[in-house]
Structures are given as structure tokens and as C-alpha cells.
């Protein structure tokens, strides 16, 4: 099976692809009837250039930039890599919560610029994590992993999502009530037409003074200009791994002491990325041999 990959994906599994070409989709100028499998990282797929395409194997869970419905109409399967990145993303979420609440990055800068004067008893106070209230927007695989980690910090955990479930991990709240009650809100819902812009200016205003917003899901779920206004004013703090127009980050965020910024590294561990590639390759092998796909994405997810 002829495979076109938009980059060399990490890990030894990638070398199992016998006939693979690496090229960015935007550089293609003509149709490629020889290509039967595409490996992308949540990138728009120009289906018209690939008349023989059988599978789009997505490196990642998010598929919001892939037209799954159009693929289904063409008989093209779509797969993703769920499960294997839950722990890494949940770990980063907890890291951002701790960094924001305890002002870790701000403190690091203070020491590096030699502005620290040696006193520990006064000033530079963070916010307590233990015993505070964590609101999780989306209690799926990653949100659930965050809730389990939160137990170790004795956090009171709330959750909200479209379908209420019976769980011991967290107590259910409607979104607006969750925002009002939480000291920290962390987002773990996929980007869909329903969730895009869901955390808008009105809902950000529901967060009480001194609370924090953490986002390792998709930047488009939050009204970014409204969030910028809140953190610039100093009313909220934030830990952000994702942004609305990546890789662009609003200039106003860059020098703020109350914001921790990371470059979309939720799944960026050696072990996780290699496992993601393993799933990509396993799905391509399954398609090549007309076997059931390992992690198929249905048109209903489009």
C-alpha cells in the first residue's frame, strides 16, 4: 500500500511502512492516484487529489480539521489514536494547574533575573491546590485521568458534559454552575460546532476572582480575546497548551506573569508519541489486509 505521510512520525513502528513518502500536503500540485493511505496530524485532506485513497490515519485524537463525513461519502476510512495519550495529557494538565496556582514559572524568572532578595516569609504568595475545587469540562478519557490524579491532591472535583454519567470521580454540575463553584477549570472536551466558543465572555465572567483556567484541549473552545482581557486585567490566571490560531499566540499573553504557556505538548512524551505511531501503522496494516481497523472514527464524529 502506497503511503503518503506529512512528516516522519516518531518511533520504530514508522519504519514498518514499506512504501512511504514524506511530503507536506500544501506542496502537492497535482493528483496522486498512487496514494492509498494518508498519515496526517489533524490536517485538512484535499480528497480531490487522492482518487485511490482508502484510509486517512490521523496521528492524534482530535479530528476537527478532517472532513470525516466527506471521507465517508468517498468510502475513505478515518482512524485516530485514542487512549494512548491520556496519561501524558493528564500529567501536563496537572503540571499547568500546579504551575499556575503556585506561580512556578514566575518564581523561576524571579530567580533567573536575580530579582529574588532572599526573603521567603513575605510576598510572592500563590494559591492553595490541596482542598480547592477543580471543575472538569468533559469527563472522557483524559478528563477522567485528570480526576483520578486530582484525588492525590485532595481536590473537590466537579464535572460537566453533554451526557451526565454515574461516577465516583466527580460530582455533576451544569456548565455555568461549575464555572461559578470552581477554583480551577480545566477543559477536556473535543472541538465541535457545539463546543467552539463555548467558554465565551459571559461564561468567563462567571469565574470568581483569582480562579484559573487550564486548556489542553483546543484553543477554539475558548473565546480567546475575552480570555486575554480577563488575564490582562489580572482577574484570572491561565495555563494554556493550545491556542485559537496556532502557532500564533496573542502578544498580550507573552509577558504576563499570571499565564503559563506551552507549545501544544499535551501528548509530547517519547513513550506516548511512539505509541501513537504504533496505532497509526497498525491501522494502515489492517486496511491493507482488509481487516477490521483498530481505532476507526465514524462519520457521526464529523
Amino acid at each position: 500500500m502506497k503511503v503518503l505521510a506529512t512528516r516522519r512520525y516518531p518511533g520504530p513502528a514508522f519504519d514498518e511502512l514499506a512504501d512511504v513518502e514524506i511530503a507536506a500536503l500544501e506542496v502537492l500540485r497535482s493528483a496522486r492516484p498512487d496514494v492509498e493511505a494518508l498519515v496526517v496530524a489533524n490536517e485538512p485532506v484535499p480528497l480531490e487529489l487522492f482518487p485511490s485513497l482508502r484510509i486517512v490515519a490521523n496521528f492524534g485524537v482530535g479530528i476537527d480539521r478532517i472532513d470525516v463525513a466527506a471521507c465517508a461519502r468517498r468510502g475513505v476510512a478515518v482512524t485516530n489514536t485514542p487512549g494512548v495519550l491520556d496519561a501524558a495529557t493528564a500529567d501536563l494538565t496537572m503540571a499547568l494547574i500546579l504551575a499556575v496556582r503556585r506561580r512556578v514559572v514566575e518564581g523561576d524568572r524571579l530567580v533567573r533575573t536575580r530579582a529574588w532578595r532572599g526573603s521567603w516569609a513575605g510576598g510572592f504568595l500563590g494559591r492553595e491546590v490541596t482542598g480547592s475545587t477543580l471543575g472538569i469540562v468533559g469527563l472522557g478519557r483524559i478528563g477522567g485521568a485528570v480526576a483520578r490524579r486530582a484525588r492525590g491532591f485532595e481536590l473537590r472535583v466537579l464535572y460537566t458534559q453533554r451526557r451526565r454519567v454515574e461516577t465516583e470521580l466527580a460530582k455533576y454540575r451544569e456548565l455555568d454552575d461549575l464555572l461559578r463553584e470552581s477554583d480551577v477549570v480545566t477543559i477536556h472536551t473535543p472541538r465541535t460546532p457545539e463546543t467552539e466558543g463555548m467558554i465565551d465572555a459571559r461564561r468567563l465572567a462567571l469565574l470568581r476572582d483569582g480562579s484559573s483556567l487550564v486548556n489542553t484541549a483546543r484553543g477554539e473552545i475558548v473565546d480567546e480575546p475575552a480570555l486575554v482581557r480577563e488575564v490582562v486585567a489580572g482577574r484570572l490566571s491561565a495555563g494554556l497548551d493550545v491556542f485559537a490560531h496556532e502557532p500564533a499566540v496573542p502578544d498580550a499573553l507573552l509577558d504576563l506573569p499570571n499565564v503559563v504557556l506551552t507549545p501544544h505538548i499535551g501528548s509530547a512524551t517519547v513513550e506516548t508519541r511512539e505509541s501513537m505511531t504504533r496505532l497509526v501503522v497498525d491501522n494502515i496494516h489492517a486496511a491493507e489486509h482488509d481487516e477490521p481497523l483498530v481505532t476507526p472514527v465514524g462519520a457521526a464524529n464529523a
Side-chain angles (χ1 to χ4, degrees):
M1 177 178 278
K2 175 66 176 182
V3 180
L4 179 65
T6 56
R7 54 184 60 78
R8 195 208 184 283
Y9 290 87
F14 191 80
D15 296 326
E16 296 176 17
L17 298 173
D19 186 6
V20 60
E21 175 185 340
I22 299 173
L25 295 178
E26 55 266 26
V27 305
L28 298 180
R29 296 292 180 263
S30 58
R32 292 293 305 272
D34 57 324
V35 173
E36 295 180 272
L38 271 180
V39 184
V40 300
N42 194 23
E43 302 161 70
V45 175
L47 289 172
E48 68 279 3
L49 296 182
F50 302 103
S52 304
L53 193 62
R54 294 171 56 189
I55 181 173
V56 175
N58 185 56
F59 182 81
V61 174
I63 53 168
D64 48 289
R65 294 179 178 88
I66 299 172
D67 193 335
V68 179
C71 288
R73 289 192 295 270
R74 272 272 311 273
V76 177
V78 178
T79 63
N80 64 349
T81 61
V84 296
L85 50 71
D86 301 347
T89 307
D91 288 349
L92 180 68
T93 298
M94 294 306 300
L96 288 173
I97 291 171
L98 291 166
V100 169
R101 301 300 281 178
R102 294 303 308 270
R103 301 171 67 183
V104 173
V105 174
E106 188 181 355
D108 178 83
R109 290 175 186 155
L110 191 71
V111 174
R112 289 176 187 272
T113 58
R114 302 193 183 280
W116 182 41
R117 295 293 176 254
S119 172
W120 62 269
F124 206 76
L125 302 180
R127 298 274 183 166
E128 198 80 20
V129 175
T130 299
S132 60
T133 298
L134 175 67
I136 299 176
V137 181
L139 196 70
R141 293 185 185 94
I142 298 171
V146 171
R148 287 188 290 274
R149 284 155 174 75
R151 288 175 170 175
F153 289 92
E154 301 175 12
L155 287 159
R156 172 177 176 253
V157 185
L158 310 176
Y159 84 95
T160 191
Q161 60 185 20
R162 185 171 55 183
R163 286 187 291 272
R164 184 172 179 171
V165 296
E166 291 300 322
T167 177
E168 296 180 356
L169 290 175
K171 295 181 179 179
Y172 177 81
R173 293 289 190 276
E174 294 291 339
L175 177 56
D176 285 6
D177 291 332
L178 177 142
L179 295 170
R180 291 188 185 99
E181 290 186 47
S182 298
D183 300 298
V184 180
V185 172
T186 179
I187 299 172
H188 301 289
T189 187
R191 178 194 174 196
T192 67
E194 292 73 31
T195 64
E196 188 163 344
M198 178 174 67
I199 309 298
D200 57 13
R202 181 189 71 80
R203 283 185 163 138
L204 287 169
L206 298 177
L207 290 164
R208 52 194 180 213
D209 292 359
S211 58
S212 306
L213 181 77
V214 171
N215 191 1
T216 59
R218 285 289 183 269
E220 294 91 340
I221 295 169
V222 180
D223 180 338
E224 193 167 79
L227 177 61
V228 169
R229 289 194 295 271
E230 291 280 16
V231 295
V232 166
R235 198 179 75 80
L236 303 179
S237 59
L240 304 175
D241 186 49
V242 291
F243 307 90
H245 305 287
E246 295 179 3
V249 176
D251 289 342
L253 297 179
L254 299 180
D255 294 320
L256 289 178
N258 56 332
V259 181
V260 177
L261 309 172
T262 53
H264 204 146
I265 56 172
S267 64
T269 68
V270 171
E271 297 84 357
T272 293
R273 292 289 172 84
E274 289 186 354
S275 296
M276 291 165 65
T277 300
R278 177 75 268 166
L279 264 181
V280 165
V281 172
D282 287 348
N283 278 302
I284 291 174
H285 284 164
E288 183 176 16
H289 297 100
D290 294 317
E291 297 172 351
L293 299 174
V294 183
T295 51
V297 174
N301 296 106

